[in-house]
Amino acid sequence: MTEIDVASPRGYLAARLRDVIQTRWSAEVRAIGVHGSLAHGDDSDGSDVNLLVVTYRNAGPRPALRRVDGILVDLSVVSAEDGLRRARELTPRWPLIADRYVSARSLYDPHGWFAEQRDVHLAKLAETRPGEFTGLARRNWCVASAAHARAVRLAEWYDMDAALLLIAEARLHAAMVAGLLSRTYFRSRADAVRRTGLAGADMQELAAVLRSQAEDLTARGRPVDGPLNALFDQ
């Protein structure tokens, strides 16, 4: 993996953080890396520094979220074992978290942990049957549908602030349905709704998307609405 651009304020701060962490927790830290815009090399003013510290055990620095020199730093800490276990798991949020497994860039990684993380995640994807992705998509569809229904009711009661919050939630989960069904992951929540064309969808447009997704999920083996016994047939 290539080095990050330390000429940018975010890259320089990430390098400083790496050096401090290596000095203070040299015996505990196995690897340090970044994900997000800094890993992709397209960070800009307003971008965060998403730093991951991988430890040998559950030790080292504590997770933190705060501004440093005007830049938001999201510091995550995970043991090497737990990090690889998570990379082998698929959850309904897969479209929003896969990028960090596949595109992370190392700042310190003498034993190749980040490459191993990428490889175990890609191996998991290769062995996963379509039905598992469909099941995860169905969960997101249920959340999206419920949020949309509540948004409609709130709009009828002229509670537009609450309705707008719920319609945003519905857009995001509908975007994750699309991501799971196509095995597409996104860089962020904003990227998810933008790339799926849902960023500006109003209530009627989103209702049409949800109906189409429900038909697709039904065609893939199980309707989104069924009898009581279907609840226990996972």
Side-chain angles (χ1 to χ4, degrees):
M1 296 183 182
T2 57
E3 290 291 327
I4 63 172
D5 180 14
V6 295
S8 78
R10 277 79 46 196
Y12 178 63
L13 177 57
R16 287 171 55 204
L17 290 165
R18 173 200 60 196
D19 294 344
V20 170
I21 291 168
Q22 283 186 267
T23 299
R24 293 184 61 179
W25 292 280
S26 59
E28 302 294 345
V29 173
R30 176 168 175 173
I32 303 171
V34 293
H35 57 87
S37 58
L38 195 56
H40 284 276
D42 57 6
D43 61 295
S44 59
D45 291 344
S47 295
D48 306 339
V49 172
N50 301 109
L51 195 77
L52 175 63
V53 177
V54 184
T55 63
Y56 288 102
R57 298 173 294 275
N58 293 316
R62 293 183 179 180
L65 179 67
R66 64 167 300 165
R67 288 192 177 274
V68 177
D69 296 336
I71 299 171
L72 184 65
V73 175
D74 186 354
L75 172 62
S76 301
V77 182
V78 67
S79 70
E81 181 180 354
D82 283 347
L84 294 180
R85 176 183 55 77
R86 293 176 189 178
R88 295 186 186 99
E89 294 176 344
L90 292 181
T91 73
R93 291 183 59 80
W94 175 82
L96 298 182
I97 61 177
D99 183 72
R100 69 186 63 182
Y101 300 139
V102 177
S103 303
R105 184 175 295 188
S106 66
L107 303 177
Y108 166 75
D109 191 8
H111 304 295
W113 186 88
F114 282 102
E116 185 178 2
Q117 175 189 236
R118 180 193 64 237
D119 291 346
V120 300
H121 187 68
L122 293 177
K124 175 62 178 177
L125 296 183
E127 70 185 20
T128 301
R129 295 180 178 274
E132 186 169 349
F133 277 96
T134 302
L136 297 173
R138 191 173 287 106
R139 289 172 180 264
N140 277 308
W141 186 90
C142 290
V143 175
S145 179
H148 177 267
R150 291 196 297 271
V152 170
R153 289 198 301 273
L154 288 166
E156 291 171 349
W157 298 336
Y158 300 101
D159 188 352
M160 296 308 299
D161 290 339
L164 287 173
L165 288 174
L166 285 167
I167 205 68
E169 180 182 351
R171 288 174 184 146
L172 176 61
H173 284 275
M176 287 196 285
V177 172
L180 285 160
L181 293 181
S182 63
R183 297 199 182 200
T184 300
Y185 60 86
F186 310 107
R187 289 178 53 177
S188 65
R189 289 173 292 183
D191 183 48
V193 295
R194 181 173 58 249
R195 288 175 58 190
T196 55
L198 292 168
D202 61 24
M203 291 188 185
Q204 290 184 341
E205 293 168 333
L206 187 53
V209 169
L210 291 170
R211 285 195 298 270
S212 177
Q213 289 180 343
E215 293 171 359
D216 192 357
L217 290 166
T218 298
R220 291 173 186 247
R222 185 182 303 162
V224 295
D225 193 354
L228 184 148
N229 287 340
L231 181 65
F232 307 103
D233 182 19
Q234 300 296 324

